[in-house]
């Protein structure tokens, strides 16, 4: 059996990973944008552990037999991000200086920046997700370093855009596959990745 035939036997895990990422990012970004207070964080943490973290890691592992290095790296990494974020908020938030939190966010921005460069050969929708996400991380990092609430709020709004883009690509992949035609375009080069 050829590699292409073997990959065809596995379902596409990307819509699951994208949806887990989108929903969790949307919830946290509503708090970062100032729509809700930190009192809403418990719901973010629950979703971060169950959907943003666990479902994305499952999606990443499902990319292994498909031979999708980008998908494995993205989904497992951002799933781990959500787990680390939830653990930090639950147990360590009052024990880590803001400047160090800024470095945590900045380094996630660096990772996301090179993933964005890798995505430049993929569908336009995926490129836009990674573009918006690295900007989100850098704005949030700058907000932690400077204490400027406006940067944090801006990061929240760009995070909301990131989540909408990820929801769109998740929906497009599910709907297009189900209908066996392009209902929601994702932009060339012809496929989501």
């Amino acid at each position: 059996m050829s590699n292409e035939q073997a990959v065809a036997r596995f379902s596409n895990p990307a819509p699951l990973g994208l949806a887990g990422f989108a929903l969790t990012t949307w919830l946290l970004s509503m708090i970062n944008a100032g729509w809700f207070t930190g009192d809403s964080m418990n719901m973010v943490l629950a979703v971060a552990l169950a959907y943003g973290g666990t479902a994305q890691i499952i999606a990443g592992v499902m990319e292994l037999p498909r031979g999708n290095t980008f998908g494995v790296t993205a989904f497992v990494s951002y799933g781990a991000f959500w787990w680390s974020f939830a653990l930090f908020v639950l147990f360590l938030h009052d024990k880590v200086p803001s400047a160090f939190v800024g470095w945590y966010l900045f380094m996630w921005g660096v990772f996301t920046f090179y993933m964005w460069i890798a995505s430049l050969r993929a569908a336009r929708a995926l490129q836009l997700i990674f573009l918006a996400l690295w900007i989100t991380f850098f704005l949030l990092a700058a907000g932690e370093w400077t204490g400027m609430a406006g940067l944090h709020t801006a990061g929240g709004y760009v995070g909301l855009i990131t989540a909408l883009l990820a929801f769109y690509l998740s929906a497009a992949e599910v709907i297009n596959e189900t209908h066996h035609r392009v209902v929601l375009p994702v932009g060339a080069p012809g496929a989501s990745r």
Side-chain angles (χ1 to χ4, degrees):
M1 179 181 340
S2 74
N3 188 34
E4 192 171 299
Q5 290 170 322
V7 168
R9 292 180 35 214
F10 295 100
S11 63
N12 179 5
L16 169 65
L18 287 163
F21 171 79
L23 178 62
T24 316
T25 300
W26 180 267
L27 293 176
L28 179 59
S29 294
M30 287 195 299
I31 294 172
N32 287 338
W35 294 5
F36 292 90
T37 67
D39 295 340
S40 302
M41 187 60 76
N42 287 334
M43 180 58 74
V44 176
L45 298 178
V47 174
L49 291 169
Y51 200 35
T54 303
Q56 275 196 97
I57 291 172
I58 290 169
V61 170
M62 290 173 65
E63 291 282 13
L64 284 167
R66 297 169 59 88
N68 184 355
T69 302
F70 184 93
V72 171
T73 305
F75 290 134
V76 172
S77 294
Y78 293 113
F81 165 80
W82 284 118
W83 267 88
S84 72
F85 174 80
L87 292 170
F88 166 73
V89 172
L90 286 169
F91 303 112
L92 305 168
H93 70 280
D94 57 347
K95 297 176 176 74
V96 179
S98 291
F100 203 77
V101 174
W103 278 105
Y104 168 80
L105 294 166
F106 179 79
M107 294 313 298
W108 277 106
V110 169
F111 169 74
T112 304
F113 183 80
Y114 77 70
M115 292 298 287
W116 171 65
I117 292 170
S119 78
L120 295 177
R121 299 273 318 224
R124 190 81 55 227
L126 189 65
Q127 294 172 31
L128 292 173
I129 292 167
F130 281 91
L131 172 63
L133 185 56
W134 70 254
I135 293 170
T136 299
F137 277 125
F138 287 157
L139 286 169
L140 293 173
E144 291 293 328
W145 286 331
T146 65
M148 294 175 59
L151 289 171
H152 195 261
T153 302
Y157 278 100
V158 180
L160 291 167
I161 292 167
T162 304
L164 289 174
L165 291 165
F167 269 132
Y168 177 84
L169 184 54
S170 175
E173 291 199 5
V174 170
I175 292 167
N176 293 348
E177 184 178 317
T178 303
H179 288 267
H180 303 291
R181 65 184 177 86
V182 175
V183 176
L184 296 175
V186 296
S192 62
R193 274 179 286 292

